[in-house]
Amino acid sequence: MATGAVEQPLDLVRLSLDERIYVKMRGDRELRGKLHGYDQHMNMVLGEVEETITIVEPSEQPTEGSIQTVKKNYEMLFVRGDNVILVAPPMRS
């Protein structure tokens, strides 16, 4: 296998080591951070992380409701793979 080839799903994650990635999580949470490590269960260690939490407060009217966005920053974060929905590598030119 060539160094930059993607033959298996985890190869895409391996090629993103030490780069900023996007992680969509359960519970309307999104993470953007630098990937320091991962395992076969998609447990990950991210650095310089920005977490975005979307909070939807329903109302009696289906067209109305309150949507709040909360942002938090972390120096280092362990992400449990069970909560990961999607991992997007950085854009490549």
Side-chain angles (χ1 to χ4, degrees), residues 17-50:
L17 277 170
D18 295 322
E19 295 194 43
R20 290 191 64 79
I21 62 169
Y22 168 81
V23 182
K24 175 111 173 113
M25 312 259 311
R26 290 183 182 178
D28 294 323
R29 293 173 183 258
E30 300 174 356
L31 303 172
R32 285 179 176 77
K34 187 175 181 182
L35 179 64
H36 290 284
Y38 69 97
D39 66 11
Q40 70 273 16
H41 303 291
M42 289 307 297
N43 295 320
M44 293 181 277
V45 176
L46 300 176
E48 303 165 20
V49 183
E50 178 184 73

Side-chain angles (χ1 to χ4, degrees), residues 4-21:
V6 176
E7 294 180 3
Q8 306 230 349
L10 288 179
D11 291 344
L12 187 63
V13 179
R14 178 183 50 81
L15 292 172
S16 299
L17 277 170
D18 295 322
E19 295 194 43
R20 290 191 64 79
I21 62 169

Side-chain angles (χ1 to χ4, degrees), residues 66-79:
S66 173
I67 298 176
Q68 291 182 326
T69 302
V70 177
K71 293 191 184 257
K72 297 180 181 179
N73 293 296
Y74 303 96
E75 188 175 323
M76 191 72 66
L77 192 66
F78 175 84
V79 179

